[in-house]
Amino acid sequence: MSLRRALHFVFKVGDRTKTAKFYRDVLGMKILRHEEFEEGCKATCNGPYDGKWSKTMVGFGPEDDHFVAELTYNYGVGGYQLGNDFLGLTLQSSQAVSNAKRLGWPLTEVGEALYLTQAPGGYPFYLVDKEQPPSDPVQKVCLGVSDLQRSTNYWTTLLGMKVVEKNEEKKTVLLGFADTQCKLELHDNSGTVDHGTAFGRIAFSCPREQVKYYLMDTFLCLLMLKKITPHFHGKYFYYIVQLPDLEALMKKENQKILTPLVSLDTPGKATVEVVILADPDGHEICFVGDEAFRQLSMVDPKGNELLDEAMAADKSDEWFAKHNRQKAAA
């Protein structure tokens, strides 16, 4: 059975034209799919807004084996207030560095072969000036936390991530579900985490059924914790982890569930089960059913065209300028 996978990070954007230029022309990502919606999402994918919005998935390759960005645009909202929750996305691409220099996109050298830049809206991106790997160039997403040990326990004990690296000097812990996937880095902010209004969401997939095997000497420990319904196979025992089980575990441990398990329908595409959690600092975490999501996330060859058409049809900037008004700032 497939394991949990890191899928994407959700960014709210106020200017689709500048944002598309950054992801396409500077980073060199591709538009994987674009969708327009007339009303808000049941899982609040576009934030706490009920009006018309769009979702654009961008990345270096399909979400089956790449970590991508989900760009949500709320019509009529021109900007969002940043907090100290999202601390950066790191990717390896000398071509992106070259593109930024050629296009005059601001770059700040912050280390050896490492540059800091910003996506429209102020989101920090770190570019490693090395040849883009044949696998996914996106290396990690960094989130700020107020208590590193508490957050590490949450992500490992409850969500099943493994600690890849600890750096006491930098006050960071690097986590992941698999070596080949984008990692999650937690950074101790030494203070309260402020999510502003630009707060994003990190998404993972969870198989509808995932079999986990353990040696018998682990059985009593887990049984005492009452976290399993065991099945036995020789010297091993196993249990089945399902998306509803994840929700049940969070309830049992008195952890915050922002959106209980819900089915999201996309016309003409797959129906996906989703549960939205919040970690101890309020970082939003989306888990989706892996099997259906693989169908939903298939690359749309018309994605680039659909985005360009939507941007051309969006006359909101002209309307606000004509009436000498500014778009709302969230």
Side-chain angles (χ1 to χ4, degrees):
M1 302 292 287
S2 59
L3 301 175
R4 294 179 183 179
R5 297 185 296 127
L7 300 177
H8 58 255
F9 193 87
V10 181
F11 297 96
K12 298 187 187 72
V13 303
D15 188 323
R16 280 191 301 189
T17 301
K18 290 182 180 179
T19 298
K21 179 179 179 65
F22 175 74
Y23 284 94
R24 289 193 292 200
D25 301 340
V26 177
L27 299 186
M29 289 184 175
K30 301 174 183 177
I31 305 300
L32 305 176
R33 65 184 193 277
H34 176 81
E35 296 166 293
E36 295 279 328
F37 304 91
E38 294 300 322
E39 56 185 22
C41 172
K42 286 195 296 184
T44 62
C45 298
N46 61 315
Y49 305 95
D50 294 326
K52 184 177 180 180
W53 66 290
S54 74
K55 175 171 67 177
T56 308
M57 308 302 294
V58 295
F60 289 102
E63 215 160 345
D64 271 0
D65 49 15
H66 290 75
F67 189 84
V68 311
E70 177 178 317
L71 311 176
T72 62
Y73 171 72
N74 291 291
Y75 283 80
V77 181
Y80 302 87
Q81 178 186 346
L82 291 174
N84 63 354
D85 53 346
F86 175 78
L87 300 183
L89 183 150
T90 300
L91 63 92
Q92 179 178 318
S93 174
S94 56
Q95 185 60 55
V97 175
S98 177
N99 292 342
K101 291 178 177 179
R102 174 174 52 84
L103 296 170
W105 202 276
L107 284 176
T108 302
E109 191 169 4
V110 294
E112 184 178 353
L114 182 64
Y115 291 86
L116 170 64
T117 189
Q118 290 183 343
Y123 301 108
F125 277 68
Y126 291 90
L127 309 181
V128 180
D129 192 8
K130 296 181 181 179
E131 184 177 354
Q132 187 170 308
S135 56
D136 187 9
V138 180
Q139 296 180 342
K140 65 181 179 182
V141 170
C142 184
L143 300 180
V145 299
S146 60
D147 185 323
L148 189 58
Q149 185 59 53
R150 179 183 64 175
S151 294
T152 301
N153 287 340
Y154 177 92
W155 287 89
T156 56
T157 304
L158 297 181
L159 298 187
M161 278 192 155
K162 296 180 180 179
V163 174
V164 177
E165 178 182 299
K166 291 183 179 180
N167 190 317
E168 293 186 5
E169 182 180 353
K170 294 183 178 179
K171 297 182 179 180
T172 60
V173 172
L174 192 66
L175 307 166
F177 282 123
D179 293 339
T180 57
Q181 295 183 19
C182 173
K183 306 299 187 296
L184 172 66
E185 183 177 70
L186 303 178
H187 180 271
D188 196 327
N189 282 352
S190 300
T192 303
V193 175
D194 174 17
H195 294 278
T197 58
F199 62 90
R201 174 183 292 173
I202 192 166
F204 304 92
S205 71
C206 179
R208 190 67 181 88
E209 292 190 354
Q210 178 179 332
V211 178
K212 303 199 74 171
Y213 284 89
Y214 289 90
L215 286 168
M216 287 298 295
D217 57 3
T218 315
F219 167 65
L220 290 178
C221 177
L222 289 176
L223 189 61
M224 285 189 293
L225 292 174
K226 298 180 180 179
K227 291 184 178 179
I228 62 167
T229 300
H231 305 270
F232 298 94
H233 185 263
K235 65 177 181 179
Y236 296 94
F237 79 90
Y238 67 92
Y239 69 99
I240 298 174
V241 181
Q242 298 179 321
L243 202 55
D245 296 329
L246 178 61
E247 179 184 40
L249 175 60
M250 291 299 163
K251 288 181 179 178
K252 175 177 169 40
E253 298 296 326
N254 295 316
Q255 298 295 327
K256 185 174 290 186
I257 299 173
L258 299 177
T259 303
L261 190 62
V262 63
S263 294
L264 299 180
D265 296 321
T266 301
K269 296 186 178 181
T271 297
V272 183
E273 288 186 320
V274 173
V275 60
I276 313 294
L277 312 174
D279 80 351
D281 285 298
H283 289 290
E284 295 193 1
I285 310 161
C286 175
F287 275 93
V288 301
D290 187 81
E291 296 81 1
F293 187 79
R294 287 182 185 272
Q295 299 177 40
L296 177 67
S297 63
M298 292 179 64
V299 176
D300 183 354
K302 294 184 178 180
N304 205 59
E305 178 184 344
L306 291 173
L307 173 60
D308 286 336
E309 289 177 354
M311 291 191 297
D314 181 4
K315 305 298 182 182
S316 58
D317 287 339
E318 297 175 19
W319 187 93
F320 278 94
K322 180 179 179 180
H323 292 81
N324 197 27
R325 295 172 58 185
Q326 292 185 334
K327 285 186 175 182

